[in-house]
Amino acid sequence: MRKVYRSIKTRLTFVTVAFSLFVTVILVVFSLVQLQGVVRTNLLQSVEFNLHLVAELMQRDIEYLDRLRLSAINNPQTTRFLLDEYEDPRTIRDLHTGLNEDVMQNPVAYRELHFRRLVVADADLSRRVQLVFLTDRIPLMPITLGLLSDFAEDAQKQWAGIKVDPLAPQAAEPVLYRVSPVLSSEDGAKIGYIYLAISTNVISRPLSGYRFLDEGNLYLQVGEANYQLADGQFVEVELNFYDMRPTSDATLNATTDIFSFQGENGGRYLAVSSPLGQTGLVLTQTFPTGLVLQETYFVVRLLLLICLGVFILGVLVALYLSRIINRPVRQIGQQVQAIASGDFVPNPHIEWDNEFGEIGRGINQLARDVDALIQSRVESEKRKRDLEYKMLQSQINPHFLYNSLNSIKWMATIQNATGIAEITVSLSRLLKSIAKIDRAVVPLSQELALLEDYFVISRYRYGGSITSQVDVPDELLDCDIPIFTLQPIVENAIFHGIEANGGIGTVSVSACLSGDVLEVTVEDDGIGMDDDTIQSVLKAEGTDNQGLFQKVGIYNVHTRIQYEFGTEYGLRIESQPGEFTRVIVRIPFSGGCGAI
C-alpha cells in the first residue's frame, strides 16, 4: 500500500490556524463569562442603588406625614374628645385646632401638599373630627358618617393600601391610607380610630426621574396588596412568581433582597426588593435575565471583531511561517534525495544563517562523510583482496606438514623415542584441528580436545612438571563456545603463573551452569596476581603474547566475548598472590547444549 503523503506546510498552517482559533474561542468564552458576571453585578447594583435612593425619599416623606397620626394619637385633646360623653363643642374645637397646627407645622404636609385627610373617630364611628386638604373639603353630614366603616376594619400598625378616599368619592386621585386604633391609657380598651390619608404623589413624584428597565416592571407592596407602578398610575395586581429562590449576588445594602423567579411566560426573571424603612412598604423592580445579555451585545460584537482579527492574524502568521519554512525544507529534501540517488556533491545553497542552515551544513557534512566512507570501503576491500592473494601465495601446504610430522613419528617409534612420537602426534593433531576450523564457535568438547593436545606439548616442554585436570560434565560438552577461548587462558596460566613459580604446578579446567550462563573456570596454583595486575590484564594484557597464537591473549578473549554477547559477559579473574589464579569465562548458555 502506498503511504499517504502529508505536507508539513499544510499541517503547519492547519495547526497555526487551529491554535489561533482555539485560543480565540477560549478567550471569547472566558471574556463572555467574566463580562456577564460584571454586567450582571453592575446592573443589579445600579437597580439596587436607584431603588434605595427613591425608597429613602419616599420613606422620608411618608414618615414626616405619619407624624400627624402619631401626634393625634398622643394628643391629650384626642383622648378628651373620644371620652367626652357630653359632646362639648369646645373639646371638638380644641382638637381641630391642635390637628390643624400639626398640619401647618409639618413641612411635607403643608409645603409639598401631600396631606389629604386626617380623621379622629370614636369607637362607634358616631363622632368624628376631620382635617382635610382644602380642595377635598366636604362637610361631615350624616350621610358621610358611615363612609369610614370599612376602613375601621383595616385598623393596623402599617399602611393598609391604596384606595379612593371614601370621604371624597368624587376625587380621581387615590390615596395611601392607614387606620390606627386609639387605646385608653387606663385599661387599654379601644376608644377610637385615627384615619390618615396622604397623596400617592409621595410615591410617584420621586419616581419621576427613575429609570424603568426595558421589559421590566416596578411594584409597590402595601400590606398584603401589590401595585404595579407605570406612568404615575397604581394598578393593583396579583404577583405570580413561580420557582422563586434567592440568588448569591452581593448587595450594597443589607436590607435589599435579590431573587430569581419564573414568569408566567416561562422565562426567568430577576427581582430586586428594597423596603421603605419601617413603613412596611416595599419597592420591587423585576426584569428578565436576558437583559444582562442585551447589556453585553456591544461588547460581544467588539469581542467578535477582535476574534476575527486574531483569526486573520493567525492565518497571515501561518502563511508567513509556511513561506519561510517550506522553501528550506523543500531544498533540504531535494539534497537528501540527491544523496539517496548517489550524488554526494555538497550543496552550499542550503547552508543558511539559521536553524535550517545548521541542518543543511549537517547534510553536506553527511554527504562528505558518506563519500569518504565509500572510498575508504573501496580501498579496504582492495587491500583485503591484495592481502588474501598474498596469503594464498605464502600458504604452506598442510598435507606436506602432516606427512613430514608423520615421518618424524615413525622414525621416533623405530628408534624407541616414545616422547618424540607423542609430542609429534599432539602437534600434528593440533595443527590439523586449527587448519580445519572454519567457524567462530565450536562445541566445548572440541575446544577441550584442542586444549588436551596443547597440554601434551606443554608437559614435554616443561619436563612433565605441569599437570592438568579437566572436570566437565558430559551434558555440557555440546555447549557452544567461541573458538580459541580456553587455550590463551591456559597458556597465560603456564607462562605467567606456573613457569614463574618454578615450572611446577597444576592447571584445572571445570564447567558449570549458573542460571542461563555457562561458566568455564581455568585455575592454576602459580604465583597469583594482585588487583592492579588483574585490572591491567583485563584492559590491555596479551597484545605481546609470543605463544601458539601471536596477539591472542586474555584481553583479546575478554573483549571478543563482550563484543559478541554484551558487557555482562566475558572474563572474571579471582587471584590470591602466592596461592592461585582463577579465570572464569562467562558466556550465554547455548541452545546447542544437551538438556540439563
Side-chain angles (χ1 to χ4, degrees):
M1 177 182 285
R2 183 179 179 181
K3 194 172 183 179
V4 179
Y5 177 76
R6 297 181 179 178
S7 172
I8 296 180
K9 174 182 177 182
T10 303
R11 284 185 285 179
L12 179 63
T13 303
F14 174 76
V15 170
T16 305
V17 174
F19 178 76
S20 301
L21 186 60
F22 174 76
V23 172
T24 301
V25 171
I26 294 298
L27 177 64
V28 169
V29 172
F30 178 77
S31 301
L32 283 179
V33 172
Q34 296 297 321
L35 179 63
Q36 287 185 9
V38 172
V39 171
R40 178 188 175 102
T41 301
N42 291 340
L43 182 60
L44 289 173
Q45 291 183 352
S46 175
V47 171
E48 180 187 0
F49 177 79
N50 292 335
L51 277 180
H52 191 67
L53 182 62
V54 297
E56 285 185 344
L57 296 176
M58 296 176 187
Q59 175 188 350
R60 182 198 63 184
D61 293 346
I62 292 174
E63 288 179 348
Y64 266 117
L65 292 169
D66 195 44
R67 291 178 184 177
L68 297 175
R69 178 187 62 85
L70 296 176
S71 177
I73 292 175
N74 297 323
N75 194 337
Q77 297 174 355
T78 301
T79 304
R80 286 197 297 269
F81 166 74
L82 295 175
L83 297 177
D84 184 11
E85 298 178 356
Y86 301 101
E87 300 182 2
D88 186 355
R90 291 177 298 178
T91 304
I92 297 175
R93 184 178 63 249
D94 293 342
L95 176 59
H96 187 276
T97 301
L99 295 177
N100 188 62
E101 290 177 356
D102 290 340
V103 172
M104 297 298 291
Q105 294 175 2
N106 191 294
V108 177
Y110 183 72
R111 290 194 296 269
E112 301 294 338
L113 304 179
H114 289 327
F115 172 73
R116 287 295 177 265
R117 190 178 305 278
L118 178 64
V119 177
V120 178
D122 62 3
D124 298 331
L125 300 177
S126 59
R127 301 174 58 244
R128 299 176 176 82
V129 173
Q130 173 183 230
L131 191 68
V132 299
F133 187 64
L134 294 177
T135 57
D136 294 334
R137 182 180 296 275
I138 63 173
L140 286 176
M141 296 183 298
I143 193 174
T144 63
L145 295 179
L147 295 179
L148 289 179
S149 59
D150 294 337
F151 286 85
E153 300 177 359
D154 295 332
Q156 56 182 357
K157 296 182 180 180
Q158 301 290 345
W159 296 89
I162 298 176
K163 289 184 180 180
V164 175
D165 190 349
L167 300 180
Q170 73 281 5
E173 178 193 19
V175 294
L176 177 64
Y177 74 95
R178 69 182 302 177
V179 180
S180 301
V182 180
L183 306 178
S184 172
S185 60
E186 296 179 357
D187 55 5
K190 185 186 300 182
I191 60 176
Y193 299 96
I194 302 295
Y195 168 78
L196 175 64
I198 61 176
S199 173
T200 54
N201 289 335
V202 74
I203 296 174
S204 59
R205 184 175 295 178
L207 292 175
S208 60
Y210 183 78
R211 177 196 172 195
F212 286 86
L213 299 176
D214 297 338
E215 302 182 30
N217 295 317
L218 185 64
Y219 299 95
L220 175 67
Q221 181 181 353
V222 184
E224 299 296 330
N226 292 280
Y227 302 88
Q228 182 176 346
L229 308 181
D231 300 328
Q233 302 296 320
F234 297 83
V235 180
E236 187 171 1
V237 295
E238 182 178 354
L239 297 181
N240 295 320
F241 292 168
Y242 305 102
D243 189 24
M244 187 173 65
R245 51 179 180 264
T247 67
S248 59
D249 298 285
T251 60
L252 300 175
N253 195 291
T255 60
T256 304
D257 292 325
I258 301 177
F259 57 90
S260 66
F261 64 94
Q262 181 178 344
E264 295 180 351
N265 59 355
R268 296 300 299 182
Y269 289 80
L270 290 173
V272 182
S273 297
S274 179
L276 276 64
Q278 302 299 321
T279 63
L281 280 65
V282 179
L283 275 177
T284 300
Q285 170 74 66
T286 64
F287 55 90
T289 55
L291 192 61
V292 177
L293 295 177
Q294 294 179 8
E295 295 288 332
T296 62
Y297 280 162
F298 172 76
V299 181
V300 169
R301 288 194 294 268
L302 180 61
L303 284 176
L304 291 178
L305 290 177
I306 294 176
C307 293
L308 181 61
V310 171
F311 179 74
I312 294 175
L313 180 62
V315 174
L316 294 177
V317 170
L319 294 177
Y320 174 73
L321 291 177
S322 176
R323 181 178 179 183
I324 65 175
I325 293 177
N326 189 51
R327 183 174 63 89
V329 169
R330 184 175 62 252
Q331 293 184 359
I332 290 175
Q334 292 174 352
Q335 180 64 13
V336 171
Q337 290 179 357
I339 294 175
S341 62
D343 182 6
F344 302 106
V345 178
N347 182 8
H349 297 95
I350 63 174
E351 298 183 3
W352 303 282
D353 55 349
N354 52 32
E355 291 83 354
F356 286 107
E358 293 294 330
I359 298 176
R361 283 186 283 273
I363 291 177
N364 285 337
Q365 184 61 42
L366 176 63
R368 297 187 188 97
D369 293 342
V370 171
D371 185 52
L373 180 61
I374 292 176
Q375 297 298 329
S376 175
R377 189 66 177 269
V378 171
E379 292 294 330
S380 177
E381 289 295 329
K382 182 179 179 181
R383 289 195 298 269
K384 182 179 179 181
R385 287 194 299 269
D386 292 342
L387 182 60
E388 289 176 350
Y389 178 72
K390 292 178 180 179
M391 290 178 64
L392 289 174
Q393 285 182 330
S394 61
Q395 189 175 26
I396 300 175
N397 188 343
H399 294 288
F400 174 78
L401 181 60
Y402 303 152
N403 292 334
S404 299
L405 290 173
N406 193 42
S407 298
I408 295 173
K409 181 197 73 169
W410 285 111
M411 291 176 62
T413 302
I414 294 173
Q415 298 177 7
N416 200 23
T418 57
I420 297 176
E422 187 176 2
I423 193 173
T424 301
V425 171
S426 297
L427 179 59
S428 175
R429 269 202 310 268
L430 184 63
L431 294 177
K432 187 175 181 180
S433 299
I434 294 174
K436 291 175 62 177
I437 293 175
D438 57 356
R439 51 196 178 118
V441 294
V442 295
L444 181 58
S445 58
Q446 186 172 340
E447 181 76 0
L448 292 176
L450 187 147
L451 198 59
E452 180 61 29
D453 291 330
Y454 182 75
F455 271 133
V456 171
I457 298 173
S458 297
R459 279 195 295 269
Y460 280 102
R461 178 179 178 181
Y462 291 97
S465 60
I466 296 178
T467 58
S468 63
Q469 296 179 357
V470 178
D471 182 16
V472 177
D474 294 340
E475 57 268 20
L476 298 181
L477 293 177
D478 291 333
C479 292
D480 291 335
I481 187 171
I483 186 65
F484 305 134
T485 296
L486 301 181
Q487 188 277 332
I489 298 174
V490 172
E491 188 174 51
N492 185 80
I494 295 174
F495 285 171
H496 299 286
I498 296 177
E499 183 177 358
N501 198 28
I504 301 174
T506 301
V507 178
S508 60
V509 180
S510 61
C512 67
L513 281 178
S514 177
D516 57 352
V517 177
L518 174 64
E519 292 186 351
V520 181
T521 303
V522 178
E523 183 175 349
D524 66 82
D525 54 0
I527 63 174
M529 294 183 287
D530 56 21
D531 292 338
D532 293 338
T533 305
I534 292 175
Q535 295 300 323
S536 65
V537 167
L538 290 177
K539 289 183 178 179
E541 187 275 335
T543 57
D544 58 348
N545 185 17
Q546 299 298 321
L548 177 63
F549 299 102
Q550 189 173 3
K551 298 189 180 300
V552 179
I554 289 183
Y555 171 75
N556 180 280
V557 173
H558 177 64
T559 305
R560 186 155 52 104
I561 292 176
Q562 289 194 333
Y563 282 165
E564 181 71 21
F565 303 112
T567 56
E568 64 271 25
Y569 301 101
L571 304 185
R572 187 174 76 241
I573 300 178
E574 301 172 357
S575 183
Q576 186 68 36
E579 295 185 10
F580 71 90
T581 297
R582 185 182 300 120
V583 180
I584 303 172
V585 181
R586 303 180 75 255
I587 59 175
F589 175 59
S590 172
C593 298
I596 303 301

